[in-house]
Amino acid sequence: TIVNRPGSVLNALALAGIVILAAEPAELFQPGFQLSFATVAGLLIFHEPMRELLFGRFLRIRGLRVYRDDQRVRRWLAHSGTDAAINAVTIALLAWLISAPLAAYHFDMVSPLGAPLTLAIAPLVTASLVLGYLGLATAWAPNLSHALISAGGSVADAMARVVEAAGSLPGPAIELRPVGVAWVLAAYAAVVLVIHYR
């Protein structure tokens, strides 16, 4: 940043992995480490291609629309609102596609509701994090900090109730026979080929 050179989020992700593995090499074989780093790397690498695959035609048509000066609000909604929705759907589906093979390998199950549930709880996750960080930032005002952190805890409790309610829906998880490494690699190869081909 100081010398105005472009940054690389993949390098930052790799550095984070190196630091964690230098401190605890056995983490490489833990499901949490693998799911976290595979999902984040997948989102960084495939977000734009996946967005184009799912919504490319819509985005090209939208770019042809012309709005008059008195339609600023409509234009803002058509662009900002749909961009937020498109990104949310793309991220939820891509995160599910990337994490599903590893979840099948480690836990012998796959959740078809993963992507929709991610979309459902995303506002609650965001609200909980924002309130928690605001609570930390306002530690100099203990009453305000406590109120913000308590509100964040309430939002987190609501999120837990949503997840529990999703567990009562039909088919929240499909149990599988043990999945080998070859199947996991084949699943990732298929995702890469489909996105690359399109």
Side-chain angles (χ1 to χ4, degrees):
T1 301
I2 292 171
V3 295
N4 201 26
R5 292 182 60 189
S8 169
V9 287
L10 283 175
N11 282 351
L13 182 66
L15 178 61
I18 289 168
V19 169
I20 291 171
L21 292 175
E24 189 60 54
E27 278 294 308
L28 180 63
F29 305 103
Q30 297 302 315
F33 178 89
Q34 292 178 8
L35 284 165
S36 297
F37 278 85
T39 302
V40 173
L43 289 172
L44 293 174
I45 295 168
F46 295 118
H47 179 263
E48 285 302 319
M50 187 70 159
R51 188 173 186 259
E52 176 65 24
L53 175 68
L54 296 173
F55 301 103
R57 186 171 186 275
F58 167 78
L59 291 170
R60 286 189 290 277
I61 291 171
R62 184 185 70 171
L64 299 174
R65 291 187 187 140
V66 177
Y67 294 91
R68 297 188 304 271
D69 285 343
D70 60 343
Q71 294 178 313
R72 290 191 189 113
V73 173
R74 186 175 171 189
R75 179 183 180 188
W76 182 84
L77 287 173
H79 285 268
S80 300
T82 54
D83 280 347
I86 284 170
N87 285 331
V89 170
T90 302
I91 289 169
L93 187 58
L94 187 55
W96 180 81
L97 280 172
I98 297 297
S99 63
L102 279 173
Y105 174 73
H106 286 291
F107 309 114
D108 298 328
M109 67 173 54
V110 66
S111 174
L113 299 179
L117 190 56
T118 298
L119 287 171
I121 67 170
L124 295 173
V125 171
T126 303
S128 179
L129 288 171
V130 168
L131 288 167
Y133 286 132
L134 286 174
L136 291 173
T138 56
W140 49 269
N143 290 340
L144 176 60
S145 178
H146 177 67
L148 290 168
I149 290 174
S150 296
S154 299
V155 173
D157 290 340
M159 180 176 58
R161 287 193 295 274
V162 170
V163 173
E164 287 174 13
S168 64
L169 294 173
I174 298 172
E175 293 195 17
L176 306 169
R177 287 184 286 180
V179 175
V181 175
W183 287 103
V184 174
L185 295 176
Y188 285 133
V191 170
V192 170
L193 287 174
V194 167
I195 292 175
H196 179 71
Y197 173 77
R198 294 290 295 177

